[in-house]
Amino acid sequence: MNQHLEHFSRQMQEFSGQQRQFLEIGRNAGRFPSAVARDRASGADTEISVWCSNDYLGMGQHPAVLAAMKEAIDTYGAGSGGSRNIGGTNHYHVLLEKELAALHGKEAALLFTSGYTANDGALSVLAGRAPDTVVYSDRLNHASIIDGLRHSGAQKRIFRHNDAAHLEELIAADSVDRPKLIVLESVYSMSGDIAPIAEIADIAKRYNASTFLDEVHAVGMYGPEGAGIAAREGIADDFSVIMGTLAKGLGTAGGYVAGPAALIDAVRSFSRSFIFTTSLPPAIAAGALAAVRHLRSSEQERESLRTNAQLLHRLLDERRIPFVSPMSHIVSVFVGDDARCREASALLLSRHGIYVQPINAPSVREGEEILRVAPSATHTTTDVEKFAEALDSIWQELDIPRTNH
């Protein structure tokens, strides 16, 4: 073995105690959150209930979505055949971009192959093409935002998480003549808390800053027609660019940005992660289009998700099981210890058939380990009650601290 490979071999041996384990599951279409977990050693299958999926509304199994995807495959085949610039733009891509622009009340939208590449590709252009731009980024912004800003080469200021006063302190210290861009998320993926977007929009107006709002964990779940938190607060027009995903509330795969036509065209023309990659398969675009159209006209899924999240918040409060924030459907149950977090997850699976992935560094900081629980619109009231009971028994057995958030 050469020295390069020896280095990585030693590094992985040292890391083995913290290495993440991936559970192999097969979600049961039509019966989700039911899924089948496969034991890699024996090959045996066990039925489980999934409590950490990002398919929050169950749109990944919705009949309209499945029908649209099957029809698109029968018509156009499996893949797109190329990048968007070279033979890979299908009519479903065009229709979906128009639908997403309309959902957010923006002039245009642009599809990417994932939410990660949407943030990375769009921000590398929006922050990097205007000379001397300074960017103000929330400390807990997603890795894709961090990478996009790094690739942009723009100067960056980090404001404390959800701290509008700190943001204003930073932005006031810079020259009024410099182009400014504020980047934040609406719902934060690990904590589940919601940004003070109205305050931040006001700061942007006062200091003539553009804004980029990541609504990945809000699209479909909040606001009129599922347009997100900014739409819920009636201030979507105050944000220059809205970024979203097709992979969570919409149940498929891909990402997008929506905003003024000139900005979106700049991203289309200069974003490396858009230009130099194969476009989404037509069937994925067709399924996402069906999901957007359904959720623009249906409140049922959002209401079920809201009811389940509120019930779980109440049941955990009653049992004094700490969770980070009651503001959204992401219920991050706080453990604060890597070993106990892993053990709690393992016991939930082995004893109760409940799958919740333990979250450790680098997704959260050491000492802030969580079980990232995500009740879905497809869980029943009984499901939620059984989950709370199971969590309570494991909290007692492992002597995990109980506190009120």
Side-chain angles (χ1 to χ4, degrees), residues 313-325:
H313 290 150
R314 178 174 64 79
L315 293 176
L316 295 184
D317 269 337
E318 290 173 357
R319 290 159 175 79
R320 297 179 56 245
I321 295 175
F323 55 96
V324 178
S325 171

Side-chain angles (χ1 to χ4, degrees), residues 355-367:
Y355 171 44
V356 180
Q357 186 71 23
I359 305 297
N360 54 12
S363 298
V364 295
R365 293 187 294 186
E366 290 186 14

